[in-house]
Amino acid sequence: MPLMRTFFALDLPAQLKLDIDSWRSKTLPPMPSSVPAANFHITLSFNGKTSEAQLDKLQQGAEAIESPVFQVSLNNMGYFAKPGIAFVGMEETPTKLLALHQKLQQLSQRCGLQVEKQTYCPHVTLFRNAPSLPAPLLEPSFNFNAERFGLYESITRKSGVIYQPIFEWELERSYRPRAI
């Protein structure tokens, strides 16, 4: 089986994706490099090229990760100049989000994956290959409860990139898996 590109992420509720997309179209100029609303997510750990054996280890390791549910507030606009990414982000990153990110980064490293060593800046990408943007007409103000995280595959097609969920886990689980 060929290697696949994988990452851990928080998916956004469907209505929130629509709300962010609507806000983007009303407050920012149109851009040809808009990220489709269906692809909105917050990356927790980018794994890169992943083998089937590593995928199995990631799944097993993620089963053991627990985190309390936490609230995410997407309340500011940002721009990464070098890759040309415009995004909505957080004025203050929840400590529970940082802890989950760290656990997943460590898991990925234990599975032999090369994780990024840069400062973690959780965000939802709005545009790729974008010039710097003017300030939005209205500041973003979106909130949701993060209740689960997932492992996704990034698939490039002629029509663009899609993010396919592979596995998903509840943050707070009322059950404990046990051996039979």
Side-chain angles (χ1 to χ4, degrees):
M1 178 178 182
L3 297 176
M4 59 177 70
R5 288 173 44 94
T6 68
F7 61 94
F8 286 104
L10 295 176
D11 195 13
L12 305 182
Q15 185 59 54
L16 180 60
K17 289 180 182 186
L18 294 172
D19 293 344
I20 292 171
D21 191 41
S22 175
W23 169 84
R24 173 177 63 179
S25 67
K26 291 176 184 170
T27 64
L28 296 168
M31 305 281 290
S33 56
S34 295
V35 171
N39 283 355
F40 289 167
H41 69 277
I42 297 172
T43 300
L44 294 166
S45 178
F46 182 75
N47 302 319
K49 294 182 179 178
T50 308
S51 70
E52 197 168 340
Q54 288 169 321
L55 189 65
D56 289 342
K57 290 178 184 175
L58 289 171
Q59 178 193 8
Q60 291 169 9
E63 289 286 337
I65 291 176
E66 288 188 41
S67 168
V69 169
F70 54 89
Q71 184 167 36
V72 174
S73 295
L74 298 167
N75 52 11
N76 74 356
M77 184 89 190
Y79 181 73
F80 297 130
K82 193 169 183 177
I85 290 177
F87 63 87
V88 289
M90 301 163 217
E91 285 181 16
E92 193 171 316
T93 304
T95 56
K96 293 171 186 168
L97 173 58
L98 291 173
L100 180 60
H101 158 73
Q102 193 168 41
K103 289 176 188 178
L104 291 169
Q105 287 275 92
Q106 291 168 351
L107 170 61
S108 296
Q109 287 175 325
R110 285 194 310 271
C111 293
L113 296 161
Q114 299 296 317
V115 298
E116 298 172 343
K117 300 283 188 211
Q118 60 199 33
T119 302
Y120 182 55
C121 179
H123 64 277
V124 175
T125 301
L126 301 174
F127 302 103
R128 294 187 183 286
N129 304 316
S132 62
L133 295 173
L137 296 174
L138 290 169
E139 287 297 316
S141 180
F142 304 101
N143 299 295
F144 72 100
N145 283 330
E147 298 176 351
R148 64 186 56 82
F149 70 97
L151 180 62
Y152 293 80
E153 179 180 7
S154 176
I155 303 169
T156 303
R157 297 202 171 132
K158 286 182 183 176
S159 59
V161 177
I162 62 166
Y163 303 129
Q164 182 74 39
I166 303 170
F167 303 107
E168 191 174 75
W169 298 272
E170 299 289 325
L171 290 176
E172 291 180 7
R173 298 187 275 284
S174 58
Y175 63 89
R176 277 285 197 211
R178 59 186 173 92
I180 298 179

